[in-house]
Amino acid sequence: MTENEIGTKVIKCAIDLHKTTGPGLLESVYEEVLMKNLALEGLRVQNQVPVPVIIHGERYKFGFRADILVENMVILELKSVEQLAPIHKKQLITYLKLTKIKLGYVLNFGAPTMREGIVRIINGTL
């Protein structure tokens, strides 16, 4: 399965979840339900995955955690805010660079519609 195929399933599950619940729940609720829905789609998912920082060959643990990692190929950063701030996108870009993963999504469940809350970020080219 490619990153784009995974992304298609992620977007479908996120939209379905948002249509069911609407905005306003805590990120942790969206995280747990989205993980279950992705697993039901046959995807391997992990949550709160440590993102190490390696500088000059030395590994540091600063407490970065990716909300959801799908198939070890796509990072999902979940938010539940009225409006995304530039830092939310930068956070995902940093995770993608540190892990060398190519594709990630910021999913803002606080947006009026899920389509308005989706930001796709590519680290390099697919």
Side-chain angles (χ1 to χ4, degrees):
M1 185 172 285
T2 68
E3 288 95 343
N4 287 327
E5 291 168 332
I6 294 166
T8 298
K9 287 187 176 193
V10 164
I11 297 306
K12 177 193 171 295
C13 287
I15 290 171
D16 289 347
L17 176 56
H18 194 275
K19 282 181 180 177
T20 300
T21 63
L25 299 176
L26 295 174
E27 288 173 26
S28 58
V29 175
Y30 293 115
E31 181 177 322
E32 189 157 337
V33 176
L34 184 59
M35 283 199 44
K36 181 168 183 144
N37 293 345
L38 291 170
L40 289 171
E41 288 287 323
L43 297 170
R44 288 177 296 126
V45 293
Q46 300 169 277
N47 69 322
Q48 298 304 313
V49 179
V51 178
V53 175
I54 301 172
I55 300 173
H56 302 301
E58 192 162 341
R59 185 182 192 108
Y60 297 89
K61 295 181 184 178
F62 290 113
F64 290 143
R65 294 193 175 275
D67 288 337
I68 298 177
L69 178 61
V70 185
E71 293 287 332
N72 291 318
M73 297 171 70
V74 178
I75 294 176
L76 308 180
E77 188 58 35
L78 277 56
K79 301 296 177 195
S80 183
V81 294
E82 281 189 41
Q83 186 173 341
L84 290 176
I87 191 67
H88 296 130
K89 296 172 193 168
K90 290 176 186 175
Q91 179 184 13
L92 178 57
I93 291 167
T94 298
Y95 292 172
L96 292 172
K97 286 180 181 177
L98 291 172
T99 60
K100 297 182 177 30
I101 289 176
K102 293 181 183 177
L103 181 62
Y105 292 88
V106 178
L107 301 174
N108 181 19
F109 286 93
T113 67
M114 193 67 238
R115 289 200 188 279
E116 294 173 67
I118 298 170
V119 178
R120 182 177 191 261
I121 297 176
I122 298 171
N123 179 24
T125 57
L126 293 177

